[in-house]
Amino acid sequence: MTARVVVVGSTNLDLVVTTAQLPRPGETVLGERFRTVPGGKGANQAVAAARAGAACEFVGAVGSDEFAGLLRESLIAAGVGVRGLRTVPGPSGVALIAVDRDAENFIVVAPGANAALTELDADDRAAIAAADVLLLQLEVPLSTVVAAAGCARAAGTTVVLNAAPAATLPDELLDLVDVLVVNEHEAEVVAGGALDALLKLVPRAVLTLGARGAAYADRDGLRLSVPAPRIDAVDTTAAGDAFTGALAVGWAERGGADIEASLRWACAAGAACAQRPGASSALPDRATIDALHDATYRGTP
Ligand code: RIB
């Protein structure tokens, strides 16, 4: 079965500099290579889901500047549906990213057009209602995230929220989330703790642990822990997006069953992404995910 995934979220042009060491506050360092790469957590997760095998629709906004065409084309090239991609006056979203030799990064986002995604139209709502999974992040206005989640809940579409960038979440959103995906920093901000604290807020939670893999817990008492593939990371930018996009696809394909299998596949997607530089440029296709998955977990019960 082909998974149907809708993403309501951001698209940014990533301005990426590699550097031996990330600067400290107030410090200037000389970097190395500069690249521009289509990114944004929403667009990355849409591309990740499409490359992982989903029929994926994206609802978002680009500006009226010279970056907009590149951002739109990048989604189309990955096979993502862009009927819901608006063009609004002003700049597109931009992310300033520095990546060091340990593959660590810092990211600063100027939302630009993403901040103008304040309404869902009838076609957006119909796409969400027809999807298996709605995938959300926090780089577009919170009111839009809540509206999309409400539309999904009313239609029986599973709501997966990646609470990134980290923020405290209002009850009106938490009440609509089926699966929350966070890293350790985001878990601390959202719930002041890890899995048990998250389960006080949402029925199912996934905690990503970088090179240590991922953990899962739900209110039915299921607890899972999955190791990550061992890889040489060159850039962890969008690794979380690769994980979340693949998790949404695995979840939809299995109808929410065999969560351990979906977690392993998502870990393979995240690890494969970290082996390549950039955001959307690094997101793996299904064959790449399968190969790393099979090499890592073959023989695992
Ligand atoms: O998750 C990585 C993404 O975060 C980057 O592509 C950047 O645009 C920011 O949204």
Side-chain angles (χ1 to χ4, degrees):
M1 157 212 155
T2 300
R4 293 163 303 173
V5 175
V6 171
V7 178
V8 176
S10 61
T11 177
N12 301 324
L13 190 71
D14 292 354
L15 310 179
V16 186
V17 177
T18 54
T19 175
Q21 258 187 315
L22 298 176
R24 289 165 297 186
E27 186 183 18
T28 300
V29 295
L30 283 181
E32 294 160 353
R33 188 167 172 213
F34 171 70
R35 301 197 318 151
T36 54
V37 187
K41 294 185 193 302
N44 290 345
Q45 291 179 23
V47 170
R51 289 198 184 145
C56 184
E57 289 288 327
F58 182 69
V59 176
V62 292
S64 53
D65 57 5
E66 65 276 23
F67 298 156
L70 183 62
L71 297 175
R72 181 180 291 275
E73 286 309 316
S74 160
L75 288 159
I76 292 170
V80 175
V82 292
R83 190 222 53 80
L85 184 62
R86 290 97 163 124
T87 299
V88 300
S92 298
V94 167
L96 300 182
I97 303 181
V99 182
D100 74 10
R101 287 184 185 158
D102 294 326
E104 291 300 332
N105 61 41
F106 73 66
I107 303 178
V108 182
V109 174
N114 298 303
L117 187 71
T118 52
E119 303 281 344
L120 297 176
D121 66 22
D123 288 339
D124 301 331
R125 292 175 181 278
I128 292 169
D132 302 305
V133 171
L134 170 68
L135 198 42
L136 299 165
Q137 317 76 30
L138 299 175
E139 286 187 342
V140 295
L142 190 62
S143 57
T144 307
V145 174
V146 173
C151 175
R153 171 60 59 85
T157 298
T158 299
V159 177
V160 177
L161 172 66
N162 176 212
T168 52
L169 302 175
D171 288 345
E172 62 171 340
L173 177 57
L174 290 166
D175 290 347
L176 297 168
V177 171
D178 295 300
V179 185
L180 183 68
V181 181
V182 285
N183 64 22
E184 291 170 282
H185 167 66
E186 291 150 4
E188 194 61 42
V189 173
V190 169
L195 285 173
D196 286 332
L198 291 167
L199 287 186
K200 292 187 178 132
L201 305 178
V202 293
R204 296 168 206 83
V206 176
L207 185 64
T208 60
L209 301 165
R212 289 177 288 128
Y216 169 89
D218 64 31
R219 286 180 181 165
D220 294 331
L222 182 61
R223 296 279 191 283
L224 298 167
S225 183
V226 171
R230 287 167 177 255
I231 50 124
D232 289 325
V234 299
D235 182 356
T236 56
T237 307
D241 299 328
F243 177 99
T244 307
L247 182 73
V249 175
W251 195 281
E253 290 180 351
R254 296 180 178 87
D258 199 354
I259 293 163
E260 191 163 11
S262 295
L263 284 177
R264 284 185 192 139
W265 205 61
C267 281
C273 179
Q275 289 178 302
R276 295 192 223 156
S280 59
S281 52
L283 296 166
D285 62 16
R286 191 172 181 105
T288 304
I289 302 170
D290 282 343
L292 186 55
H293 172 276
D294 293 352
T296 305
Y297 304 110
R298 188 180 291 124
T300 309

